Amino acid sequence: MSYSERWQELFGPADGGPAMRLASVAPDPGTGGGEAGGGPGNLKHSNGPWTSASGTAGDLRTSTETSRSALGPGHEGIESGAAGLSSVAALKSVLTSWEERLQSVRDECEQLKGTLLTVAKEMGETDAAIKTSFKGVDGAGKADEKR
C-alpha cells in the first residue's frame, strides 16, 4: 500500500464528510465553494517542500553522525589521566548515553529522509498524471499552459 493510499485510509473523508477537491473541478452542488467551473482553490501542491524537507533530514543525519563520531575521540585518555576519580565512571555513562541518543536521531533522520522522498515522488507523479489527464479537456487551453 502506498503512502498516499494509507493516508486516505486513515484521514480520508468518511460518510460524505469533508473531501479534497481539485481547484479546476466544479464544486459539489450546495457546498457554496468556488464559482462555476472551479473550486475554491484550496488545494495547491508542489513537491518542493517534501524534497527540501528530505534534504534537511539528510543533512541533519550527516551532522548528527559527525558529532556522534567526534564524541569518542574527544574522551580518549580521560580514564588514564583521571584514574581514581569517581567522576570518570559518571562521564563514561554520559558519553554512552549521548552516543546512543545521537545514534537514534541519526537513524530516525535516515528513515525520515527516505519517507519524505517517497512522498515527493508519489505527489509529483500524481500531479503529473492529473495534469496529463486534463490536457484533452475543453477549457484546458491557454490559461493552463501558463502554469
Side-chain angles (χ1 to χ4, degrees):
M1 175 180 285
S2 74
Y3 180 80
S4 295
E5 291 167 335
R6 180 73 176 140
W7 180 270
Q8 276 303 102
E9 180 182 328
L10 293 172
F11 303 107
D15 302 325
M20 183 170 59
R21 292 183 310 276
L22 295 174
S24 60
V25 178
D28 294 333
T31 61
E35 311 235 345
N42 58 357
L43 174 64
K44 297 186 188 291
H45 173 266
S46 164
N47 69 346
W50 299 103
T51 304
S52 175
S54 174
T56 300
D59 292 344
L60 182 57
R61 184 231 178 267
T62 300
S63 64
T64 301
E65 177 57 21
T66 301
S67 298
R68 190 191 71 79
S69 298
L71 283 176
H75 286 80
E76 287 177 359
I78 288 183
E79 287 185 48
S80 63
L85 297 177
S86 61
S87 61
V88 174
L91 185 59
K92 183 72 172 165
S93 173
V94 170
L95 171 63
T96 302
S97 172
W98 273 107
E99 286 177 330
E100 291 170 358
R101 291 174 193 201
L102 290 172
Q103 185 173 346
S104 293
V105 169
R106 180 203 64 196
D107 294 346
E108 182 68 21
C109 287
E110 180 67 25
Q111 186 273 328
L112 189 57
K113 175 185 173 186
T115 300
L116 290 168
L117 276 178
T118 300
V119 171
K121 182 178 183 287
E122 286 180 8
M123 296 299 278
E125 288 174 358
T126 300
D127 286 352
I130 290 170
K131 183 176 181 178
T132 301
S133 72
F134 280 108
K135 288 228 185 232
V137 176
D138 286 339
K142 301 275 186 222
D144 287 341
E145 291 174 7
K146 293 180 183 177
R147 291 184 202 175

